[in-house]
Amino acid sequence: MAMWDRIKDQAKGLQQAQGARGTGGQGRPAARGSGASRAQLVSTLKTQLTSLKTELKSGAYRDASMAMCALVAAADGNVDPTERQHVESLILNNDVLQNFPSEQLRQRFNKHVDQLAFDFPQGKAEVLQEIAKAAKKPAEARAVIQTGFVIAGADGYVSPAEEQVLREACSVLGLSAQEFGL
């Protein structure tokens, strides 16, 4: 539990720093869409995720994270081959995901991307079911969202479609989207 307390303290510090710059409605930062605040949030989430590396070794985390990465990659309804390759590269180079064999990650990610590409609404429902399996362990559930944020923000921008799928993933995991600035 001490690890989660440390993460909450880091997140609270980030929220306070954002609050000092002004807040919008419902406690969100006024610069909600700004690249600087999103980049800072993604950086903080990445640091928090890395601090949990030794605890994130379960199959449920691995599978839910790959489903989350696929959902983020396909958030706009399609994934072109270049984007698929880019996200796959991010996954394989992610410090925390190196806990798992790269072929397992690649296989699971591509399976989910294929589902989403074939029939986005049906694939999305199946991917969200896979993500929901991580809800049993709150620390892993949060780590799945953090992983999604890190992938979404890798290009320095989290699109509205990516924010929407992250909110939906929060919902199936029983987490507050506001906890992640959504």
Side-chain angles (χ1 to χ4, degrees):
M1 201 60 173
M3 180 70 69
W4 178 239
D5 291 336
R6 191 172 67 213
I7 291 170
K8 285 185 353 188
D9 289 344
Q10 288 174 338
K12 193 178 289 184
L14 175 63
Q15 288 173 340
Q16 288 171 348
Q18 289 174 335
R21 290 189 295 261
T23 57
Q26 301 175 350
R28 291 190 201 131
R32 182 173 178 263
S34 78
S37 65
R38 279 291 177 221
Q40 184 181 10
L41 176 62
V42 169
S43 176
T44 299
L45 292 175
K46 189 174 185 177
T47 300
Q48 291 172 352
L49 195 56
T50 301
S51 73
L52 293 172
K53 180 179 179 175
T54 58
E55 297 175 33
L56 298 173
K57 294 184 177 182
S58 77
Y61 168 72
R62 176 201 58 211
D63 296 349
S65 291
M66 290 306 92
M68 183 80 251
C69 290
L71 187 58
V72 165
D76 62 359
N78 66 30
V79 182
D80 63 57
T82 305
E83 184 176 18
R84 180 189 286 232
Q85 191 172 35
H86 176 68
V87 173
E88 189 176 302
S89 174
L90 292 170
I91 290 167
L92 298 177
N93 291 310
N94 181 287
D95 191 39
V96 176
L97 293 173
Q98 288 180 2
N99 283 335
F100 307 102
S102 59
E103 195 49 44
Q104 285 181 6
L105 299 174
R106 185 179 286 116
Q107 178 187 22
R108 283 165 174 79
F109 170 71
N110 284 311
K111 175 188 129 193
H112 294 303
V113 171
D114 290 344
Q115 287 174 314
L116 291 160
F118 180 71
D119 180 348
F120 186 75
Q122 177 64 33
K124 184 177 176 182
E126 292 173 16
V127 165
L128 286 170
Q129 286 177 348
E130 187 70 35
I131 291 169
K133 293 177 183 177
K136 295 174 188 164
K137 295 183 180 177
E140 286 186 6
R142 284 177 177 81
V144 168
I145 299 299
Q146 291 169 323
T147 300
F149 242 115
V150 168
I151 297 300
D155 59 0
Y157 174 73
V158 180
S159 75
E162 290 167 335
E163 286 184 357
Q164 179 59 35
V165 297
L166 286 163
R167 277 193 291 279
E168 291 175 42
C170 284
S171 178
V172 300
L173 289 169
L175 300 172
S176 167
Q178 288 182 336
E179 178 180 341
F180 300 94
L182 296 169

